[in-house]
Amino acid sequence: MTITAPPPTPAFEFFLGAHHPAWLETADVPLCVSHRRLTGRRALPRARHSWFLDSGGFSELSLHGGWRQDARTYAAAVRRYHDEVGQLHAAAQQDWMCEWDVLRKTGKTLKQHLELTVANFVELRSLAPDLPIIPVIQGWTAASYFQCVDMFDKAGVDLTKEPLVGVGSICRRPRLDLPVILLADLAQAGIRIHAFGFKKAGLKIAHKSVASADSLAWSYGGRHERGCSESHQRENNCMRHALWWRQDLLDHITDAQRRCP
């Protein structure tokens, strides 16, 4: 019997969610900025650090019921960010989230969302093979996520050979058990994972399974925090608060790594 060693634990990188593109010029930490915040700007900031481009898919689908920009337009935008902003670590494809509220808004089935996700990545890869656009595994149940993996494989995309693969529709779940197990199973299959918007509590458990993650949770929580200076009443737009939140998250993960090496 051949015993296969488990894949090595990836080095974890966290991209702090930022809804102010100007932070790209000043922040000394990796950021995650949405395409929705950058598109249409005549002048773009020059990145001080590596950063992650979120496609803005949840807002796009939940507000409009579909993507208003086609793959060619999005690929052109990613190229502009790559060239003008610089230091682009990765860009999410235009995936189709599978939360039930989003499905109701689009009027499509979960399977159709998976098919559209795979088709979009294949098109983006053909349009811009040199750009760091990453595929995103979508689903809702564990079976549907692996169905998406199979769809990518049948479309000629071996996710185990991709430098990074996003996993979506995991951030708004009330329970952590399914996404934690899912991320572990995908990592065990040899997929290098980026966890979109995964909860702090989830990352404390699943840190060994993911290569990177992002979150804007500091801003949502900051709406209820009193401002740290007279310049602002709340902390939802405060870089100082965001950086404190980020460090607290990383400290929790470091502590978890020490407890369970």
Side-chain angles (χ1 to χ4, degrees), residues 99-119:
E99 288 93 341
W100 294 115
D101 288 346
V102 177
L103 292 174
R104 281 192 289 269
K105 183 68 175 181
T106 66
K108 300 182 185 300
T109 66
L110 189 151
K111 183 180 179 182
Q112 287 174 317
H113 275 222
L114 303 187
E115 292 170 342
L116 288 165
T117 293
V118 174

Side-chain angles (χ1 to χ4, degrees), residues 85-100:
V85 180
Q87 301 205 61
L88 180 61
H89 177 78
Q93 67 154 115
Q94 294 169 291
D95 54 319
W96 288 68
M97 294 77 215
C98 294
E99 288 93 341
W100 294 115

Side-chain angles (χ1 to χ4, degrees), residues 199-207 249 252-253 256-257:
K199 291 181 172 64
K200 180 187 290 187
L203 288 174
K204 287 171 62 178
I205 303 170
H207 60 89
L249 167 66
H252 276 84
I253 291 175
Q257 290 172 337

Side-chain angles (χ1 to χ4, degrees), residues 165-182:
V165 178
V167 178
S169 300
I170 59 174
C171 64
R172 294 172 179 84
R173 294 174 181 267
R175 293 171 59 98
L176 294 174
D177 47 354
L178 186 146
V180 166
I181 294 171
L182 171 70

Side-chain angles (χ1 to χ4, degrees), residues 143-172:
S144 61
Y145 280 100
F146 281 96
Q147 182 182 12
C148 189
V149 173
D150 290 340
M151 287 179 175
F152 271 113
D153 187 61
K154 290 177 181 177
V157 181
D158 183 350
L159 296 181
T160 65
K161 294 182 179 178
E162 294 293 323
L164 195 63
V165 178
V167 178
S169 300
I170 59 174
C171 64
R172 294 172 179 84

